[in-house]
Amino acid sequence: MNSNDDRIVQVEHHFGVRFPQDYRDFLGMTGSLSQFVPPADDFLVITALDELIDINEAGEFQKRFPGALVIGGDGSRELLAYDFRQDTPPLVTLDVSAEDWSSAIHQAASLSALLDQFPHTGWKWDDPDPSPS
């Protein structure tokens, strides 16, 4: 186990979750992402591991979105988050000003799926959260 693996485990422990394996692999190999993605021409941010705790503790996200873990976003108002209310947490977007989960928009079942589809689809704006209410 290298120091990055140790840090991943520390952050997981902080939030009381285990990250999906593809996200753990991304953190270990790529680390972060912040770029316009052609041809979709949408901006995609995947936050660095060392910034996850601060980002998730800002703005009372844990109170407004219990079970959410923000890992990035569109560089503006939309936050990309795992929905850990589900056993296999999907990725959703949450507007920074939203009060609760009702405005969540499902993006992908996994980070791998998001990264595969994003160049073609960009952000989805009309796919409500498929989780049970």
Side-chain angles (χ1 to χ4, degrees):
M1 188 179 266
N2 66 34
S3 63
N4 195 52
D5 291 337
D6 290 341
R7 184 70 182 129
I8 290 171
V9 170
Q10 288 173 346
V11 174
E12 288 175 329
H13 182 73
H14 179 85
F15 292 110
V17 300
R18 177 163 169 87
F19 297 146
Q21 190 60 50
D22 62 344
Y23 181 54
R24 295 174 116 245
D25 293 344
F26 176 88
L27 290 171
M29 293 170 52
T30 307
S32 66
L33 177 73
S34 182
Q35 68 185 48
F36 274 100
V37 179
D41 278 340
D42 267 346
F43 200 73
L44 175 61
V45 175
I46 306 291
T47 304
L49 181 64
D50 288 336
E51 298 171 21
L52 286 179
I53 292 174
D54 289 343
I55 281 183
N56 280 277
E57 291 182 348
E60 300 189 327
F61 291 121
Q62 302 302 309
K63 285 184 183 168
R64 289 188 288 153
F65 308 105
L69 182 73
V70 175
I71 66 160
D74 70 351
S76 183
R77 298 182 53 87
E78 297 298 320
L79 304 171
L80 180 64
Y82 277 109
D83 180 357
F84 277 101
R85 298 175 303 167
Q86 300 180 51
D87 290 338
T88 303
L91 285 163
V92 300
T93 47
L94 302 164
D95 185 283
V96 295
S97 64
E99 293 299 316
D100 58 35
W101 280 103
S102 64
S103 64
I105 299 173
H106 181 265
Q107 295 296 322
S110 68
L111 181 62
S112 298
L114 179 78
L115 295 175
D116 285 347
Q117 76 193 25
F118 197 87
H120 309 288
T121 63
W123 294 109
K124 297 177 186 174
W125 300 113
D126 58 0
D127 190 0
D129 182 2
S131 69
S133 32

